[in-house]
Amino acid sequence: MSAPEINAQALGHFGPYGGRFVPEALIAALDELTAAHESALNDPEFQRELTQLHATYSGRPSIITEAKRFAEHAGGARILLKREDLNHTGSHKINNVLGQALLTKKMGKKRIIAETGAGQHGVASATAAALLGLECVVYMGEADTKRQALNVARMKLLGAKVVAVTQGSKTLKDAINEAMRDWVTNVANTHYLLGTVAGPHPFPTIVRDFQRIIGVEARAQVLELTGKLPDAVLACVGGGSNAIGIFHPFIADTSVRLIGFEAGGSGIESGKHAATISGGTPGVLHGTRSYVLQDKNGQTVESHSISAGLDYPGVGPEHAYLNDIGRAEYRAINDDQAMYAFSLLCKTEGIIPAIETAHALAGALEIGNELGPDATLLINLSGRGDKDVQTAAEYFGLPL
Amino acid sequence: MNQALPQLFAKCKSENRAALIGYLPAGFPNQRSAKKIIKSMISGGVDAVEIGYPYSDPVMDGPVIQAASEQSLANGTGAEDVFELLAHSAQLGAPSLVMSYWSPIEKYGVAKFAAAITSAGGCGVITPDLTIEESATWRDESTRNEIDRVYVVAPSSSDARLKLVSAQCSGFVYAASLMGVTGTRESVSGNASGLVAKLRTTTQLPIAVGLGVSTKEQAREVASYADGVIVGSAFIKIIQQYGGGRKGLRKVKELAQSLSEGVRNGK
C-alpha cells in the first residue's frame, strides 16, 4: 500500500517558521477554521457584518493624534499616534475578537475560550461573547489575575467565567496551555479564540488578517495628513498582534522601517526579560515554530516583564521571519525605560497608555533621537492604561 | 527495521491477548527510583515501556503527568536521563520507546536524537504533537536509525486523516481513546472502539489505545478490540500517593499484575 501524499505547503509557513505542532485531535478543528476564514475573506456578507460592527460598536476608524509635546523629547521627530486605545474595551484586541467571534457563529459553535495576559484580550472576548450570545471561559495565569485584578472584574461583569491557572509560571504561557487542554477536550462545540499571532496555523494568519485594519487605516491617514509615508512604524511586541496589524500593510513600502519593541524586563543580560527575538533562539512553542525563550533542553524558560501583556516567552512566527529577512527590526526596552515613557506620555499629552504600549513609546524616544527632526514616526498606541493604574502607582511609589 | 515491537505484538497475538504498555517520565520521582519503578512494572507484567521526556508545556497531559513532569524537571532531568532510563528498560528485556513533545527533540538535534535512541537500545519514539506535515526530517532520521515512528490519532480524526497518519506510523498506531488530555477516568470512552474499527480499515499495523485506562476491568474492555493497552497516569498516581520506596514499588507491581490479567481476558 503506497502512502497518501502529504501536503506541507498549505500549513501556514513563514520561511522556516510557523506550521502546526499540535495533537492530532485538533487537526480537524484547525482545518475547519482555516476553511471558515478563507471563505469569510471572500464573503461580502461577512465583511459587511464585520465593518458594521467596527463602525457602530468598536468605533473604527480609530483616529491619529499628533503628539507634539511628547515629540520634544524624541529628537523633535514628528510623532503620530494611531489611537487603538480609543476602541471599545480599550485596545486593539477587539479587532481580532470581533472577527473570530463572527467566525465562531459561522462555524455553528456556541462556546469560546480565550487566554489572556494583561486581561485586554479576555475583556474583548467576554465583550464579544456577550454581544453575540456565546458562552465564554477565559484562562488567565494566577499571577496575572492579581496584577490585573480590574480586568478580572470586568470579564466577570460581562458574564464570562475566569479560570485562574496555577500551573507553571502562572502567567500567559500557562494560560495558553490550559486553554489548549480545554480545546482538545471540548473542540466539538468550542472555538479557541486565540488573541495573538502565535499558535498553530491558521491562527497567525487569521489574527493578522483581522488586525491589518490598523495599518490599512493608518497608512491612508498618514498619507493624507503628511503627504508621504512615515519613515518608521513602531509597535510593542509580545506575541505581536498589534505590531503585525500595523506593520503588514507597510511591508511592500520598503522605504518604511518597521521596528518592534520587545519587553526587556530587567535587561536582557539579567536573563529576566521577555525579549524573544532579541534574546531567544528558534524553537517550537504552543503549536508553532518561532523564536522562543528556552534552555539547552528545549524547555521553555519563564519570561519577565512589568507588562503582563508582553510577558510571554514566544512570539508570532511572521515576526521571526520578518526579522530574519531583515524587513523588520526588533529591539528590547527594559521596564524602567518603558515606565519613563509611560509617565512622559501622561504628562505631555494627557494620554495614559497601557504599559505594553509604553515600550513602543520608549522606542519612539530612541528612534526619534536617532533620526532627528525630519523624521515622521507612526506609533501604534495599542491600548490604554486604566488597567495599569495600580501597577504604575506602585512603581512610582504613589499612595493608593 | 527494528523487530522489537513486531515480535512483541506477534507474541501477544499468538497468546490471544493484548500487549500491556506502561508509561513513566524519566527522572520521576527521581532517576534512581524511576529505574526501580520500571523494573517493578516489567516484573508485574508490563510488556513494553514508554519513557516520557518531561516537558515544560505538556498540552496533551492532565494534572497527574503535569505534576510529575514539573517534579522531574525540578530535579534537572535532561535528554541524557531519558536515554539512560530507556537503556535500563531495554536491558530488562522490554521493547522500550520514548514519548516526547517535539521541542526537546528539535533542540537536541533530530539526527542526534534518533541515533541516541538506537544506541540506548530503544525501538521507537512516540511524538504526540508532531504533525506528519512537519515530519520530513524526523521521517528520514528515524528511518536511517531503524526506529519506529508512532503518531497519535484521535476520535476527531477524519477517515482521510487516519489513512494519512497511519501510513506514516510503524511499530503500532497510538489511538487516543477520547477527546481530552491524559489522566485516569471512571470509564473508557465509547469512542475508542469505533476509532479502532475505523483504523482497521486503513492500516495493518497493531493498534494500541491510551488515555484514561487505569483498572483491570478497563484494560480487559480495551483488550477486547485493541492490540495494546497503554497505562500512564495510574502508575504515576501510585508513586505520588505512596512514594518511590518499597511500598510504592509493591503497589506498582500489583497494578501491573492486575492490568496484565485484564489484557489476557479481553479476547
Side-chain angles (χ1 to χ4, degrees), chain A residues 65 69 77 85-86 107 110 112 119 127 189 225 231-232 303 316 321:
Chain A
T65 296
R69 278 178 26 85
D85 62 319
L86 297 179
M107 292 186 292
K110 305 278 187 237
I112 59 171
T127 299
N189 71 348
L225 187 69
D231 296 288
S303 54
Y321 179 61

Side-chain angles (χ1 to χ4, degrees), chain B residues 246-261:
Chain B
R246 202 167 297 164
K247 186 163 189 195
L249 294 173
R250 196 181 74 234
K251 293 275 182 190
V252 163
K253 187 172 173 179
E254 283 169 10
L255 176 64
Q257 284 168 335
S258 157
L259 293 166
S260 171
E261 281 174 41

Side-chain angles (χ1 to χ4, degrees), chain B residues 108-187:
Chain B
Y108 189 81
V110 178
K112 215 175 122 195
F113 193 90
I117 297 286
T118 307
S119 332
C123 63
V125 181
I126 304 167
T127 48
D129 66 343
L130 179 67
T131 55
I132 53 167
E133 287 81 2
E134 303 289 349
S135 291
T137 315
W138 178 238
R139 249 189 324 271
D140 293 346
E141 296 304 332
S142 54
T143 304
R144 194 194 317 281
N145 288 282
E146 301 193 338
I147 52 176
D148 285 318
R149 277 188 301 275
V150 180
Y151 294 95
V152 183
V153 297
S156 63
S157 304
S158 67
D159 290 358
R161 192 73 197 169
L162 290 177
K163 194 170 175 187
L164 207 56
V165 177
S166 58
Q168 298 301 323
C169 290
S170 60
F172 64 92
V173 181
Y174 189 134
S177 70
L178 47 80
M179 295 302 290
V181 294
T182 58
T184 57
R185 304 288 201 288
E186 289 293 311
S187 62

Side-chain angles (χ1 to χ4, degrees), chain A residues 1 6 11 13 19-25 167-168 173 177 181 184-185 187 281 284 289 296-300, chain B residues 54-61 66 70 73 103-104 106-107 128-129 131 133-134 152 154 156 161 179-180 202:
Chain A
M1 191 165 60
I6 298 166
L11 281 174
H13 289 98
R20 276 185 188 169
F21 297 84
V22 290
E24 199 59 32
Q167 285 94 337
K173 161 181 105 71
N177 289 341
R181 291 182 189 115
V184 170
T185 308
V187 65
T281 50
V284 170
R289 182 184 286 118
K296 64 176 171 43
N297 289 320
Q299 308 289 351
T300 312
Chain B
Y55 176 52
S56 53
D57 297 277
V59 298
M60 267 291 282
D61 288 305
Q66 281 175 49
E70 263 188 53
L73 288 174
S103 176
E106 183 162 302
K107 189 70 181 171
D129 66 343
T131 55
E133 287 81 2
E134 303 289 349
V152 183
S156 63
R161 192 73 197 169
M179 295 302 290
T202 68

